[in-house]
Amino acid sequence: MKAIICKRYGSPEVLEIIDIPKPAPNTDELLIRIYASTVSSADWRMRSLEVPDGFRFFARLAFGLKKLRKPILGCELAGEVEAIGSAVTSFQVGDHVVAYPGIDLGCHAQYKCMKAKGAVALKPKNLSFAQAASLCFGGATMLDFYRRANLSKGEKVLVNGASSTVGGAAVQLAKSIGAHVTAACSTSNIDLVMSLGADQIIDYTKSEFARCDELFDVIVDTVGNTSYERSLKALAKNGRLLLVLADMPTILMSLWHNMFSSKRVFVAPAEERTEYVFELCALAVADRFTP
C-alpha cells in the first residue's frame, strides 16, 4: 500500500510517498481502507518540531530524538471497513466509519488497523468522507476542555481564533451546551464564524477582546496570541481560561495562579477518549456539529 512517511524533522520536503506492506487485522481489529484524512496542526508540529517555547526537548523525548518513532502521521480518518478480525461482532465489512487513533497516528496511508472497541464509530450519513475525517481533532480537543472546565448552559464564552479547526469546534460545541458565544476572528472570516452559530463577533483587526468592557465566564484561546494577563482581566469571578496553546512559562505561571485565585486556568494537552468519537458523531447526526 502507499503511505506518506516523515523521514526526519523539517519542512514538508522531508515527507515521501513509499510502498509498505498492507496491514492485517488482529482478531479484535478492523482493517479500514482510508478514503480521507487530515493534515492537522499536530501533524505540522510533530513533523517540523515547531512547538511552543520550552517544549522542544520534551517533544523529542516523546516523538523521537532524531526522527519520528512513528513516521506515518495523521491522527484521524474516515473510510470503509475492508476486513474484520475473528472476534469482532460490532462492525461488518463494508461499514463506513470514522476513527481517531490520535497520538497513535498512521492515517496518512491507504489502510489502518484499529481496535473494534477503540475510537471507531459509524460515519454519520449526513457527512461526506472529507467532512467526517475532520470530525475528531478539533472536536475531541474542545469536548475535553469544556468537560474539565465544567461549561454550563447560559454561561458567556469567548473563543479567540474562532475560524481555526479547534476554534470552530469551540464555537459549535459551546452553542450545543447552551452557552452564549462571542467569537474573535479576522474580517475575512466573519461570515464563516457567524455560520457556525456565534452570537457576537469581535474583529481582532479592529479591536481586542481583552480591552472591551464585557467579562466572560470562559475564554478559549486557540492561538496563543493574547497575553495571559489580559485574558485573566477579561474573566468574570470564578471564570476559566482554556489555553489550547501555551508555552512552558505560561503553563508554570498557570499552576501558580490556580493555587491562589478563584479564576482557573486549564492547559493542554487534551485527553483522548474513545467516548468523544461517539459523542461527536451523535452531534453531527443531529446537525449540531459540522466539521
Side-chain angles (χ1 to χ4, degrees), residues 11 17 19 25 27 50 60-61 66 79 96 119 133 140 142 169 183 186 194-196 208 220 230 237 255 270 278 286:
S11 64
I17 299 175
D19 288 299
T27 57
E50 291 287 341
R60 284 186 181 272
L61 285 181
K66 294 185 178 180
H96 292 172
M142 285 316 306
S186 65
M194 287 297 292
S195 74
L196 299 178
E208 186 180 354
V220 182
R230 286 181 178 177
K237 184 180 179 180
L255 296 175
F278 295 96

Side-chain angles (χ1 to χ4, degrees), residues 14 21 26 34 40 50 73 77 80 86 100 111 118 146 165 191 206 217 240-241 251 264 276 288-289:
V14 303
N26 293 325
I34 299 174
S40 69
E50 291 287 341
L73 297 170
L77 67 86
E80 181 177 346
S86 58
Y100 185 47
Y111 292 90
Y146 284 153
T165 299
D191 289 341
K206 299 178 180 179
D217 300 298
R240 288 89 78 202
L241 174 59
I251 290 176
R264 308 292 293 174
Y276 292 158
R288 295 169 63 192
F289 180 57

Side-chain angles (χ1 to χ4, degrees), residues 137-169:
F137 177 69
T141 297
M142 285 316 306
L143 280 178
D144 190 71
F145 267 101
Y146 284 153
R147 180 169 293 182
R148 289 157 63 192
N150 195 28
L151 178 63
S152 302
K153 181 178 180 180
E155 290 195 300
K156 296 167 68 174
V157 176
L158 182 284
V159 179
N160 184 36
S163 61
S164 66
T165 299
V166 177

Side-chain angles (χ1 to χ4, degrees), residues 26-30 84-92 116:
N26 293 325
T27 57
D28 59 346
E29 290 183 331
L30 314 172
I84 60 175
S86 58
V88 175
T89 58
S90 52
F91 292 93
Q92 297 179 344

Side-chain angles (χ1 to χ4, degrees), residues 12 31 49 57 62 73-74 76 152 158 176 187 202 219 228 249 269 286:
L31 174 64
L49 274 186
F57 172 73
L73 297 170
E76 56 188 340
S152 302
L158 182 284
S176 75
T187 307
I202 295 176
I219 294 176
Y228 180 82

